């Protein structure tokens, strides 16, 4: 067996499968077992046992060919800290969004951004919030830590990670149900807020629904300066409704507005972990003490930079997602089911019955879908995968529904037989 230190750049390129043709219809990449001890090798599965994974809202088409090429070229620099690559990505993101470079923080996925926001802007409202001077980092100015204070206000349901981060920070968490259109109930969220942080995921996860642009713009205008608004635009690129827009342009007039973005979704880099946020410089200064130094690795940075320079990545992923999403929508409708209108790369299907037995039935047929969301217990969340994956999902879905109907009919006959004549 070869040692890891002997892997050449050429060999790494071979493993990455560089080339546009291999990316467009690439199956999940698996590194050859010859590189690793048997205990580290991925378990081999027979074709019949292959799992269709539609539970994490990943981009099934993977990263840009440009990103794969950039990673192979970055292989020679793995021994370096990623300072220059981080600077280059910040410059590219700033240019793309029409902001200054000092308005951007990079994160280990947008998940790190959400955690930092919870740490910086939520916490107990009692006790001292006296600033604490910190040691000067190797890059940038000295930092001052100010403890977070205030509650977190979020929709129900929504992406749940930030709720846990706020609870760890001993903050009060207030959950406000979505409105009848599955948008954020902004008036109720505003009424509930006291300092702290309001979290808005738009498009929302798990519902794939949007909060209309005019409503969100008016809401941001009304939020008091002491309350931070964090808008998570992880699924921004997939939204095609005319009633949706990014709120990044509003940042210049609102010091309390932060927008988070990720490379995990449309850029197909979920396994690499790279995200960022945009806000006014002074707002970011409150977040910087909570950042890990060099938390984004050089491979992710190289891939992200290259992805932004690929004009086809976003367009192709949007087109394929929309096409396949419509196919699934049509097929589900034929079965008598509707879904919440989707502006993302996943769908929330109303089954009109508890969803847990269907999730279990799909898993038994090697199809993984989203978990149960307590506030929408009859809705099934399914990621939009490739056409072949969605056909497998639909076949398993039909089989599961048939099996459920058969069991229900048998139970009904059993009960009928027990009834007195």
């Amino acid at each position: 067996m070869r040692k890891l230190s002997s892997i050449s750049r050429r060999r790494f390129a071979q493993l990455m499968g560089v080339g546009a043709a291999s990316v467009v219809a690439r199956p999940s990449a698996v590194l050859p077992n010859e590189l690793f001890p048997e205990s580290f090798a991925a378990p081999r599965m027979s074709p019949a046992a292959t799992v269709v994974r539609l539970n994490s809202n990943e981009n099934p088409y993977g990263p840009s060919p440009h990103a794969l090429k950039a990673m192979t070229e970055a292989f020679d620099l793995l021994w370096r800290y990623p300072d220059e690559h981080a600077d280059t990505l910040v410059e590219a993101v700033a240019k793309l969004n029409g902001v200054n470079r000092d308005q951007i923080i990079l994160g280990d996925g947008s998940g790190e951004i959400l955690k930092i926001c919870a740490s910086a802007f939520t916490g107990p409202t009692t006790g001292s919030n006296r600033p604490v001077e910190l040691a000067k980092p190797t890059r940038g100015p000295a930092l001052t830590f100010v403890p977070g204070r205030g509650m977190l206000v979020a929709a129900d349901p929504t992406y749940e990670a930030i709720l846990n981060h706020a609870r760890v920070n001993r903050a009060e968490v207030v959950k406000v149900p979505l409105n009848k259109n599955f948008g954020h109930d902004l008036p109720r969220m505003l009424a509930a807020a006291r300092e702290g942080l309001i979290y808005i995921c738009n498009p929302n996860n798990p519902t794939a629904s949007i909060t209309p642009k005019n409503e969100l713009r008016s809401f941001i205008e009304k939020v008091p300066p002491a309350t931070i608004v964090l808008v998570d635009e992880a699924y921004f690129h997939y939204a095609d409704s005319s009633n949706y827009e990014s709120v990044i342009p509003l940042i210049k007039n609102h010091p309390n507005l932060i927008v988070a973005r990720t490379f995990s979704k449309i850029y197909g880099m979920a396994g690499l972990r790279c995200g960022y946020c945009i806000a006014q410089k002074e707002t970011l200064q409150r977040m910087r003490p909570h950042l890990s130094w060099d938390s984004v690795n050089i491979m992710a940075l190289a891939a992200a930079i290259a992805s932004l320079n690929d004009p086809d990545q976003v367009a192709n992923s949007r087109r394929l997602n929309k096409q396949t999403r419509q196919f699934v929508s049509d097929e589900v409708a034929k079965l008598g089911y509707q879904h919440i209108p989707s502006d993302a790369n996943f769908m929330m299907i109303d089954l009109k019955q508890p969803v847990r037995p269907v999730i279990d039935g799909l898993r038994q047929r090697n199809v993984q879908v989203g978990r149960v969301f307590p506030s929408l217990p009859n809705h099934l969340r399914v990621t939009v995968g490739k056409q072949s994956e969605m056909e497998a999902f639909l076949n398993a879905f039909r089989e599961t529904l048939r099996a459920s109907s058969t069991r229900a009919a048998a139970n009904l006959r059993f009960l009928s037989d027990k009834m007195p004549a």
Side-chain angles (χ1 to χ4, degrees), residues 150-215:
M151 65 175 59
L152 172 70
V153 179
D156 185 26
T158 193
Y159 184 59
E160 298 160 330
I162 194 169
L163 280 67
N164 289 336
H165 297 320
R167 291 188 181 107
V168 168
N169 217 36
R170 294 181 297 145
E172 178 185 359
V173 174
V174 177
K175 297 196 289 186
V176 177
L178 297 173
N179 62 30
K180 63 180 181 180
N181 297 319
F182 298 99
H184 288 72
D185 192 334
L186 298 177
R188 289 185 61 191
M189 296 179 81
L190 180 60
R194 300 288 185 275
E195 293 186 86
L197 180 67
I198 301 175
Y199 173 69
I200 297 172
C201 187
N202 195 33
N204 188 44
N205 180 11
T207 54
S209 51
I210 62 166
T211 297
K213 59 187 180 183
N214 292 337
E215 294 179 19

Side-chain angles (χ1 to χ4, degrees), residues 82-323:
D83 298 343
E84 291 81 7
H85 282 71
D87 289 342
T88 300
L89 180 57
V90 166
E91 195 70 45
V93 169
K95 183 177 180 181
L96 177 67
N97 292 284
V99 299
N100 298 324
R101 54 177 297 114
D102 60 7
Q103 291 183 257
I104 295 167
I105 281 180
L106 302 180
D108 182 30
S110 59
E112 184 182 20
I113 300 297
L114 270 56
K115 183 176 183 180
I116 291 168
C117 286
S119 298
F121 303 116
T122 73
T125 54
T126 58
S128 172
N129 65 337
R130 180 176 58 85
V132 178
E133 294 295 326
L134 303 178
K136 186 179 183 303
T138 53
R139 306 176 74 225
L143 301 173
T144 300
F145 166 72
V146 179
R149 59 186 290 127
M151 65 175 59
L152 172 70
V153 179
D156 185 26
T158 193
Y159 184 59
E160 298 160 330
I162 194 169
L163 280 67
N164 289 336
H165 297 320
R167 291 188 181 107
V168 168
N169 217 36
R170 294 181 297 145
E172 178 185 359
V173 174
V174 177
K175 297 196 289 186
V176 177
L178 297 173
N179 62 30
K180 63 180 181 180
N181 297 319
F182 298 99
H184 288 72
D185 192 334
L186 298 177
R188 289 185 61 191
M189 296 179 81
L190 180 60
R194 300 288 185 275
E195 293 186 86
L197 180 67
I198 301 175
Y199 173 69
I200 297 172
C201 187
N202 195 33
N204 188 44
N205 180 11
T207 54
S209 51
I210 62 166
T211 297
K213 59 187 180 183
N214 292 337
E215 294 179 19
L216 187 53
R217 191 185 303 120
S218 176
F219 167 79
I220 292 170
E221 295 284 350
K222 296 174 183 175
V223 175
T227 301
I228 298 293
V229 179
L230 170 60
V231 180
D232 184 348
E233 295 186 348
Y235 300 96
F236 156 78
H237 296 93
Y238 289 109
D240 44 29
S241 169
S242 60
N243 213 11
Y244 176 86
E245 68 181 11
S246 170
V247 296
I248 287 177
L250 304 183
I251 288 173
K252 62 182 178 182
N253 295 323
H254 296 89
N256 62 336
L257 177 60
I258 303 169
V259 176
R261 292 274 185 89
T262 183
F263 285 88
S264 294
K265 302 305 176 183
I266 202 137
Y267 291 108
M269 291 173 46
L272 285 167
R273 315 307 302 133
C274 186
Y276 63 91
C277 72
I278 301 175
Q280 290 194 15
K281 176 182 177 181
E282 293 72 22
T283 304
L284 296 186
Q285 284 301 104
R286 294 175 60 185
M287 297 170 61
R288 292 188 187 279
H290 301 270
L291 274 172
S292 298
W293 295 355
D294 297 325
S295 66
V296 187
N297 68 78
I298 200 167
M299 303 293 274
L301 292 167
I305 294 164
S307 295
L308 293 180
N309 290 320
D310 181 358
D312 296 327
Q313 177 67 18
V314 171
N316 287 341
S317 293
R318 278 174 59 96
R319 175 179 55 80
L320 291 167
N321 177 75
K322 186 175 182 178
Q323 174 182 307

Side-chain angles (χ1 to χ4, degrees), residues 314-382:
V314 171
N316 287 341
S317 293
R318 278 174 59 96
R319 175 179 55 80
L320 291 167
N321 177 75
K322 186 175 182 178
Q323 174 182 307
T324 309
R325 187 178 63 197
Q326 186 61 54
F327 163 72
V328 177
S329 177
D330 293 343
E331 293 300 310
V332 166
K334 292 176 185 176
L335 297 172
Y337 299 101
Q338 300 297 320
H339 63 86
I340 298 171
S342 173
D343 275 277
N345 64 335
F346 56 96
M347 303 164 64
M348 199 65 149
I349 304 169
D350 184 2
L351 300 185
K352 308 171 189 175
Q353 61 179 308
V355 73
R356 168 53 65 189
V358 178
I359 292 174
D360 293 341
L362 290 169
R363 183 182 294 111
Q364 292 167 7
R365 293 164 175 82
N366 295 320
V367 176
Q368 296 178 354
V369 294
R371 61 193 178 279
V372 176
F373 294 89
S375 56
L376 291 174
N378 294 345
H379 282 74
L380 177 73
R381 193 191 72 180
V382 56

